[in-house]
Amino acid sequence: MRIRPMLDGPGEGGAFPEAGDLADVEHLLTGRGVLVLSGAGLSTESGIPDYRGANGTLRRRAPMTYQEFVSSEEGRRRYWARSHVGWRSIARARPNAGHRAVEALRRSGHIDGVITQNVDGLHRAAGTDEAVELHGGLDRVLCLECRRISPRAELEHRLHALNGEFEEAGSRINPDGDVELPDELVRAFRIAPCQVCGGILKPDVVFFGENVPVPRVRRCFDLVDAARALLVLGSSLTVMSGLRFVRHAARSGKPVAILNQGATRGDAQATIRLSLPLGTALTSLADSLAVSLETSESTRQDG
């Protein structure tokens, strides 16, 4: 399965189909055995924008594709220059009330597992270490030649040594961790090869146009099969990588609840459909279920 950039969000200009209320979601969680599928909308309260909301960046630009990254040194230079500048904002982001509530509900047994489409690592930072990161994580770097995986902080120190105070030149952060930069700055940027084999370094994330690793997809389907219900948080389900799990759950007769500010491609499969601020809604659910929100937030490196 390949992820493609889709420039038009679902349901734009159409009526928003709401169904049920927060009490219905609470009832769903009371039954336990719930699997969470989260998207970019869960991280917006941490200062990371989404692609397809009212101010989403896909309305202005398409993200880097896998084909462009592997085939073009110019494309790689542009990606790493922008990503180097944007990384500090990603690394400094902290889990918000929504991430903390998800982890608290998982610890209490109301949520069985988490699949996230996000690459920001905020579920892990909130303590949900076993969350399946469907599209990988920006805090890791992969060599396309020797396949070595290394910490992003390690690469950031090398890029800083090569480019000095370049990171001060950036503008607004994008969901995939980069920023817009003038072409003249991008042309001057120096990229770093793998320290082991000299190969091409790529963030350990699934780019648009790239395949999600098959074992990871199978793991997600296994989680859906084992769950009693699916709760979607902050995802427009525009790309099939997430939507397929909603469709699979619905075909299996499992309840699907969607909390997202805006219409989604999965609305037809949802038994509960609400547009609510996620931090407030999830905190309210945890409070109603008498779940403690005290979580052991892990330390994130600024790199």
Side-chain angles (χ1 to χ4, degrees):
M1 173 284 159
R2 302 173 75 83
I3 302 174
R4 299 186 304 277
M6 300 181 71
L7 301 184
D8 295 320
E12 289 188 64
F16 178 77
E18 289 222 11
D21 55 29
L22 205 56
D24 294 319
V25 182
E26 180 182 343
H27 180 72
L28 192 72
L29 290 167
T30 301
R32 306 198 172 213
V34 175
L35 175 67
V36 162
L37 172 63
S38 71
L42 187 61
S43 292
T44 55
E45 293 177 38
S46 294
I48 300 174
D50 64 9
Y51 276 120
R52 299 176 179 88
N55 298 308
T57 57
L58 269 184
R59 296 174 186 272
R60 297 183 297 279
R61 60 180 278 278
M64 172 63 67
T65 66
Y66 180 75
Q67 290 76 13
E68 182 181 6
F69 187 89
V70 298
S71 65
S72 166
E73 183 175 354
E74 179 184 351
R76 291 191 293 274
R77 187 183 311 280
R78 184 171 66 255
Y79 174 83
W80 280 120
R82 293 175 172 181
S83 186
H84 176 58
V85 175
W87 169 247
R88 288 189 179 273
S89 294
I90 296 292
R92 288 171 179 163
R94 292 295 180 265
N96 60 53
H99 298 105
R100 293 192 294 272
V102 167
E103 169 56 12
L105 289 164
R106 186 200 64 81
R107 287 197 337 267
S108 67
H110 292 90
I111 288 173
D112 271 9
V114 176
I115 301 169
T116 183
Q117 296 173 277
N118 299 337
V119 295
D120 51 38
L122 291 178
H123 277 297
R124 275 186 285 120
T128 313
D129 295 329
E130 70 285 354
V132 179
E133 294 176 324
L134 184 63
H135 298 151
L138 282 170
D139 59 350
R140 304 182 297 271
V141 177
L142 169 70
C143 174
L144 295 180
E145 303 299 325
C146 69
R147 312 306 293 181
R148 173 179 179 259
I149 294 178
S150 56
R152 175 67 177 262
E154 177 184 290
L155 175 61
E156 286 301 315
H157 289 310
R158 295 173 61 204
L159 292 177
H160 180 77
L162 288 170
N163 296 283
E165 297 302 318
F166 190 87
E167 66 269 14
E168 301 301 325
S171 60
R172 184 180 185 275
I173 187 73
N174 290 317
D176 49 1
D178 67 357
V179 298
E180 299 299 324
L181 292 176
D183 289 343
E184 60 270 19
L185 286 178
V186 171
R187 285 194 294 268
F189 190 77
R190 299 174 66 189
I191 57 179
C194 175
Q195 287 185 300
V196 174
C197 71
I200 294 171
L201 293 178
K202 172 185 172 292
D204 189 22
V205 300
V206 178
F207 281 168
F208 283 86
E210 185 177 4
N211 291 320
V212 179
V214 171
R216 195 179 302 165
V217 174
R218 287 176 179 159
R219 169 65 176 149
C220 292
F221 275 118
D222 287 344
L223 288 172
V224 176
D225 287 338
R228 183 183 60 83
L230 182 63
L231 174 60
V232 179
L233 301 174
S235 176
S236 62
L237 301 170
T238 303
V239 293
M240 187 56 70
S241 63
L243 179 62
R244 56 183 160 178
F245 302 124
V246 170
R247 290 179 172 174
H248 184 73
R251 283 195 300 268
S252 302
K254 301 176 189 289
V256 175
I258 299 178
L259 275 63
N260 184 67
Q261 293 191 294
T264 84
R265 287 183 73 195
D267 288 343
Q269 285 79 41
T271 51
I272 303 169
R273 183 64 184 84
L274 300 172
S275 177
L276 295 169
L278 288 177
T280 301
L282 291 169
T283 299
S284 176
L285 287 168
D287 288 343
S288 295
L289 293 165
V291 172
S292 171
L293 287 178
E294 291 185 8
T295 62
S296 55
E297 182 178 326
S298 64
T299 301
R300 289 168 60 85
Q301 273 189 311
D302 289 349

